[in-house]
Amino acid sequence: MTIIINMRSGVDEVKLRIAAKLIREGKLVAFPTETVYGLGADALNERAVRRIFEAKGRPADNPLILHIAKFSQVYELAREVPEEAKVLVERFWPGPLTIVLPRKDVVPDVTTGGLDTVAIRMPANEIALKLIELSGKPIAAPSANISGKPSPTSAEHVADDFYGKIECIIDGGETRIGVESTVIDLTEHPPVLLRPGGLPLEEIEKVIGKVRIHPAVFGKKVDTPKSPGMKYKHYAPNAEVIVVEGPREKVKGKITELVKELKERGKKVGVIGSESYNADEFFFLGSSVEEVAKNLFKALRYMDKAGVDVVIAEGVEERGLGLAVMNRLRKASGYKIVKA
């Protein structure tokens, strides 16, 4: 049985104590963050962490992010905390930034995917922070979805994937940002962007200078992922996804052409973007990149429920949150990209 705790009106410490007790007991609790919903367990409890991998169907070499509620916890989990880390967290925590540091032995191998590094963040969500505080544990939490599928931005999305399979879902309403955290590896110099996310790279570079972008961000295959989102197909609905990239007017023309061609072949076609293009299903992502990021996973899940055969997605400019949006769309499509 899955307990659903309604916390849409704000933090209720009495109710959260129930969820925190479950974490301490080695159970699984889905909870909201500012980015997406996480599927949480005690990060230092090997058996509990294994249950995350089992529930999601997640490959064992795909490391988890540890969520903390106060900066001092970093020193409990990491062997070294470089000056760059201190500068970044002072500026951006709590927030959608994950830092990768050398790990201490207290963190089990299963939590880090066998790596000698640990990924840590402090979420900017009062429910998440209070849950971590009350549990007294760092919480390991990947996105609360079946592995490879679109990430959840509401408790309803979590329930679609996990109701009856985990102990608790905390309903804190829709998430604010809609794409996962940005992951920066601080064990290398210069630092390396492993996954673009809710904190734009440009903002990070204003604080610590030049950051190298890992080739995996643009689709290069890796054998040993140091961050979630690097190696495996992610974020994909059941339908085939095609991403159309290029100048705005050429993109519009190419999508119009693709919709017509696919419908003539008897396909049920969905479009996510700024206009419908006469598709069978349409989801308006928004008029700003922030709205597009917030609505992206909701749109992909909508298309699943609508039963479309093909989803055509409009590409966006790779500036600010646009880099994270395009990373998610390309992965969702398995890099099936049409250049307009």
Side-chain angles (χ1 to χ4, degrees), residues 180-245:
E180 297 85 352
S181 62
T182 301
V183 182
I184 297 287
D185 184 0
L186 296 176
T187 67
E188 297 192 27
H189 301 283
V192 180
L193 175 71
L194 301 181
R195 180 180 75 184
L199 179 64
L201 177 60
E202 294 91 337
E203 295 301 309
I204 294 169
E205 291 188 324
K206 287 178 186 176
V207 176
I208 61 169
K210 189 65 179 172
V211 172
R212 184 168 68 85
I213 300 178
H214 195 286
V217 170
F218 300 111
K220 182 177 174 58
K221 291 184 178 180
V222 295
D223 294 323
T224 306
K226 293 185 76 172
S227 161
M230 291 186 73
K231 181 176 180 181
Y232 297 97
K233 186 176 179 181
H234 284 70
Y235 323 115
N238 295 326
E240 175 188 2
V241 177
I242 299 170
V243 183
V244 182
E245 303 178 15

Side-chain angles (χ1 to χ4, degrees), residues 73-149:
Q73 290 177 281
V74 171
Y75 293 97
E76 298 168 13
L77 304 170
R79 294 195 311 271
E80 301 168 29
V81 183
E83 195 60 35
E84 286 168 323
K86 297 173 188 175
V87 170
L88 282 173
V89 302
E90 183 177 345
R91 174 69 181 82
F92 297 117
W93 277 7
L97 171 68
T98 294
I99 56 173
V100 174
L101 301 171
R103 76 171 168 112
K104 282 188 173 177
D105 291 340
V106 68
V107 184
D109 284 349
V110 64
T111 305
T112 67
L115 297 172
D116 192 39
T117 54
V118 60
I120 308 170
R121 94 174 184 99
M122 186 188 296
N125 178 286
E126 290 184 2
I127 295 170
L129 290 173
K130 183 57 72 171
L131 174 66
I132 298 163
E133 178 190 322
L134 292 173
S135 73
K137 309 285 185 180
I139 295 181
S143 54
N145 56 285
I146 299 299
S147 193
K149 295 302 179 186

Side-chain angles (χ1 to χ4, degrees), residues 301-324:
R301 283 180 173 263
Y302 170 86
M303 291 300 170
D304 264 353
K305 291 195 171 182
V308 302
D309 300 306
V310 183
V311 177
I312 301 174
E314 285 182 4
V316 299
E317 195 174 355
E318 291 181 284
R319 289 188 300 136
L321 285 179
L323 182 61

Side-chain angles (χ1 to χ4, degrees), residues 16-56:
L16 270 182
R17 287 186 183 279
I18 298 169
K21 183 171 182 286
L22 290 170
I23 291 288
R24 290 194 299 273
E25 291 172 349
K27 305 297 197 301
L28 301 186
V29 175
F31 62 95
T33 76
E34 78 280 25
T35 57
V36 299
Y37 273 70
L39 181 60
D42 176 358
L44 307 184
N45 181 332
E46 186 172 336
R47 183 176 294 179
V49 172
R50 287 193 188 284
R51 286 198 60 214
I52 293 176
F53 284 88
E54 291 164 5
K56 282 178 62 74

